[in-house]
Amino acid sequence: MDRWAGRVALVTGASVGIGASVAKELVRSGMKVVGCARDVEKIQKLAIELQAAGHDGVLVPFKCDLNNEEEILSMFAAIKDQHKGVDVCINNAGLAHPESLLNGKTSGWKHMLNVNVLALCICTREAYQSMKERNVDDGHIININSMSGHRVPGSADGHFYSSTKYSVTALTEGLRQELREANTHIRATCISPGVVETEFFSRLYKDNADKMDSFFKFKVLEAIDIANAVTYILSAPPHVQIGDIQMRSVEQVV
């Protein structure tokens, strides 16, 4: 990770869970991390903690609603103005609503598409343009995917969510191909975790505690496990392209 010291990383959804853990590890590695979320106060608190710990890097909180393209573009403009640009983009933000295909609400479907797919694409595009205009040829774009982007879960309320994660699988491979065609050494990777102990399921099943509890009857992954995968990917030699890391608890069935 030494070659990333002092470089700029954007982490979306950095207020809690995987995003917060990734931001923390990158700061520990000496990076300047712009962490964005709607709830910026949690990122501000984490930034103070990391500063007090004396790490070489720094966490810069930024309030951004990924449902709003104008806010995303304003964020990238601010990063350019204040930090020159983005060298690493971690598209972590994602969400699910328990909306089935037969009875789901259109509003829930749109929200998942906006955050899980469109915001990811916008951030990817803007990160690439930031790298290109500064002749950064060793940047990295990492998409936090899901095992649901590789197999469809049995529960109906996860089917539309799964479709957005299948999109992330396709988008990451498409991005790899486009970067190759552009004769750049910028790399594209996705990480596909199974069940992780974060706020994801408590938000998804806030009205169905019994269903939420069913996901935690075994030892699940922790956010730091995914953060460690991020640093592993960034630590790979520049000629090594890691396409996808699929990871889950040894006790998880599917």
Side-chain angles (χ1 to χ4, degrees):
M1 288 294 290
D2 290 347
R3 69 188 181 89
W4 293 110
R7 307 283 293 274
V8 177
L10 170 66
V11 179
T12 66
S15 59
V16 294
I18 294 172
S21 188
V22 169
K24 186 185 300 183
E25 291 306 303
L26 295 184
V27 168
R28 286 177 175 169
S29 298
M31 297 193 73
K32 180 180 290 185
V33 180
V34 177
C36 79
R38 289 180 300 173
D39 185 1
V40 75
E41 292 181 0
K42 292 181 179 179
I43 306 177
Q44 291 170 337
K45 181 179 178 181
L46 178 59
I48 293 171
E49 293 173 357
L50 293 173
Q51 183 179 28
H55 296 301
D56 292 334
V58 62
L59 176 58
V60 181
F62 201 99
K63 184 177 179 61
C64 181
D65 182 355
L66 295 175
N67 274 299
N68 188 323
E69 181 177 6
E70 291 305 314
E71 289 197 23
I72 298 174
L73 298 180
S74 294
M75 175 177 65
F76 274 90
I79 294 172
K80 178 179 179 179
D81 181 58
Q82 299 169 19
H83 312 292
K84 296 184 179 179
V86 172
D87 301 306
V88 173
C89 179
I90 314 290
N91 287 310
N92 164 72
L95 54 86
H97 295 295
E99 306 293 354
S100 69
L101 299 178
L102 298 182
N103 301 298
K105 297 183 182 66
T106 304
S107 59
W109 295 343
K110 285 184 176 180
H111 195 198
M112 285 185 272
L113 276 176
N114 285 341
V115 176
N116 298 358
V117 179
L118 292 179
L120 177 145
C121 289
I122 295 168
C123 288
T124 295
R125 180 190 67 201
E126 297 305 309
Y128 170 71
Q129 294 299 330
S130 174
M131 296 174 198
K132 182 181 178 182
E133 70 182 19
R134 293 176 295 121
N135 295 316
V136 171
D137 194 48
D138 64 343
H140 212 130
I141 297 168
I142 301 176
N143 297 326
I144 305 301
N145 196 355
S146 168
M147 286 302 299
S148 291
H150 300 277
R151 82 287 187 271
V152 179
S155 177
D157 53 23
H159 289 164
F160 192 92
Y161 167 77
S162 180
S163 77
T164 67
K165 290 303 184 177
Y166 265 80
S167 292
V168 173
T169 301
L171 289 167
T172 305
E173 172 58 14
L175 175 61
R176 184 195 69 81
Q177 294 181 19
E178 290 192 26
L179 290 170
R180 178 66 186 85
E181 291 169 3
N183 294 316
T184 176
H185 293 92
I186 298 169
R187 294 178 289 178
T189 305
C190 69
I191 302 174
S192 302
V195 179
V196 185
E197 189 175 357
T198 66
E199 295 185 3
F200 178 88
F201 286 100
S202 62
R203 291 173 175 173
L204 174 60
Y205 294 119
K206 61 181 183 296
D207 299 322
N208 191 342
D210 290 340
K211 192 152 192 175
M212 183 187 73
D213 291 342
S214 68
F215 284 93
F216 298 98
K217 290 183 177 179
F218 56 89
K219 175 63 177 175
V220 300
L221 296 177
E222 299 176 6
I224 185 61
D225 298 323
I226 289 76
N228 287 338
V230 169
T231 55
Y232 167 74
I233 291 165
L234 292 176
S235 299
H239 70 285
V240 176
Q241 176 97 285
I242 299 173
D244 189 7
I245 294 179
Q246 296 183 27
M247 55 193 299
R248 53 193 154 193
S249 163
V250 295
E251 297 181 35
Q252 184 172 338
V253 177
V254 296

